[in-house]
Amino acid sequence: MSLSPTVARTPTLRVVVTAPLSLLLACAPCAAGAQQHDPQDRSPDELDTVVVEGRRPIHTVETVDQAREKLDERAGATAVVDAESYRDRRAGTLVDALGYAPGVFVQPRFGADEARIAIRGSGLQRTFHGRGLVVLQDGSPINLADGAFDMQAIEPLSARYISVYRGANALEYGAASLGGAIDFVSPTGYDAPNLTLRAEGGAFDYRRAQVAAAGTSARADGYASLTGMSQDGYRDHAVQETYRLFSNAGYRFSDTLDGRVFFTKVDSRSQLPGNLTFAEFRRDPTLAAPGNIAMDQRRDFVLERLAGKLAWTPDARSQLTLSAFVADKRLHHPIFQVLEQESRDVGTGLRWRRVSDWNGHEATLIAGVRVTNGSLRDDRFVNVAGEAGDRTNAFDQHARDSIAYVEQQVGLDERRVLALGAQGLHAVRRSHDAFVTNGRDESFSRTYSGVSPKLGVRYRIDDRAQVFANISRSLEPPSFGELTGGPDVTQVDMQEATTLEFGTRVRRGTWWLDAAVYRAHVDGELLALNDPEGNPRGTVNADRTLHQGVELGASRDWTPRSRTSVNYLFNDFRFRDDPVFADNALAGVPRQQVRGELRWMPVQSFYVAPNVEWNDATWIDHANTLQARGATVWGLRVGGEGGDAWRWFAEVRNAFDKRWIASTNVVANADGLDGRHVLPGDGRGLYAGIELRL
């Protein structure tokens, strides 16, 4: 089933050709569709005019097919998620958008935006305010300058597609973390419907709506999406309300120069129900932690972001892109203290891509620089029932990341491609203690520098199948969440890793397969720990850890009306000869996870799609004394189309009302004792939605 999101409004290029009529007649077969004059009673030397219309691509934003083609050229694990693949369901969390993206581990904390998200375990210890990934909006980072990011700043319904670069395969966007990068690419006036109206609703007073409009003129186009979401939540003290505006406008200055500006505003307000004990979970998983209610713990912020991109394409094989952004954020965050933060981040980047010939084979050069500067005022107060009491601390913080990268891909013959690249990083983290107490000044200034090389090979079996391998080095400086996120300052070192990866991509007529196996030796892994109540206790560097696993995504069309899709993760993350934890498993992630769906269309306009999610058991502490059991959660979705303009869906999630644990706290040693470690998954819920496109 497919409801086309485009109206084929690609910019038109008109070419007028004047030639002798006899030549035009001779070339008629290759000018099919051209406007031709009647050749009757014309002399052979008489001139005639033919108008040929072609389509010129937009240079500031790639189409889904262009993105998929470029990612398939990477000597490593990548994926493209077409937004159409998740618009036929409740699109309420990042799980809905990325749950079937190979290699992405994502679980919601409270049934909505905030989630634990990681690739290859990078940033896995963080259950809030993510890190370990570079999250991009149209190629520009939405991370703060220190590397942290907010899940609430992302609107999956305002994306045309999502590009996922796992590990060092994100080097072409200046990302050198263990996890890689995820890029949410916006629709434009050329590939979005003129008007989109969408409404969703269901259990736990869940409501979500979208109004989006798009348009084009001779040289300009524009797109704007306004979404609103609210829900009471499955648990107590879990009310959420979020409004997001995503918009962009483009202008074609000439056939070689395109510009585009992007504006985003997010207003997000979320109550935090906190962690439960196992005893509370067994008694009533809808409860909130008493301390979270007493302190009215929540996370409220307003984000405004303005970005721009200028793309110069002197020929069909070269492109120079200049980008810049500025983002302002205001955060009100009552937790164990009341945090009041105001931040501004400014960044710019320059990227060059050139395709040339080398010994008769294609060679691609990608080179660029990116600089991001951020300032943050962090005021902290005693939490008095959610209100600010006496001041406890204050920091004036500055972060800067300066990155330069280059990668050269060379075709050695018709089948083999060699990729060689490197990225240089210089990061600054500076904090001034603006409220010194007890004579203890917690000011500090740290710099982190290094080079991340990469060597990869890709072998093309045929036009639809390839295998690849690479070895890479990654660097990840800490964010302020690691340095000052607990009750005390923890001046931790940079996380480093060496990763070896093998994989394959296969695209056949009725099936596709995306599989990768990796092994990463990590030095100084950043481990963010919490206390038994779930409050942050600060971050430490582990000595040596090992991250290895399998990433698998596959789909098969058994008949023209039936399809099976599956996503599988095997996560083996552990310490290596640690003096305290020996070879124990790292806490916070199930060893295995499976998501699968069977889709059947008895008629063209109606489908039935049962689905399942299975999670293995999860260690809660690094000492491996306490474990959350795994669970299997079933769901069922039905839906259909009404012509080309509208579609609908209805679904039941957690159909058997399974009590299950979606995520957990992470502590060093729980001594096998119960504590506030459990984040329950949502219970059974019925949802429905409708979408109209004009």
Side-chain angles (χ1 to χ4, degrees), residues 72-76 356-364 408-420 455-463 465-469 505:
D72 282 349
E73 294 172 356
R74 311 304 299 163
S356 59
D357 292 322
W358 187 80
N359 286 343
H361 303 291
E362 190 174 274
T364 302
Q408 178 73 65
Q409 292 195 57
V410 178
L412 303 178
D413 54 32
E414 294 297 327
R415 296 182 181 273
R416 293 178 299 164
V417 175
L418 176 68
L420 182 63
L455 175 65
V457 294
R458 180 166 57 91
Y459 181 79
R460 187 177 63 85
I461 300 172
D462 54 37
D463 289 340
Q466 58 182 283
V467 294
F468 55 80
R505 283 187 288 265

Side-chain angles (χ1 to χ4, degrees), residues 133-173:
L133 297 172
V134 176
V135 181
L136 306 162
Q137 183 75 53
D138 300 291
S140 294
I142 66 171
N143 300 66
L144 303 181
D146 68 346
F149 63 90
D150 290 294
M151 297 82 172
Q152 295 93 332
I154 300 166
E155 175 53 83
L157 287 177
S158 296
R160 177 60 191 91
Y161 62 88
I162 307 168
S163 296
V164 180
Y165 303 80
R166 280 122 69 191
N169 306 299
L171 186 145
E172 71 167 281
Y173 282 103

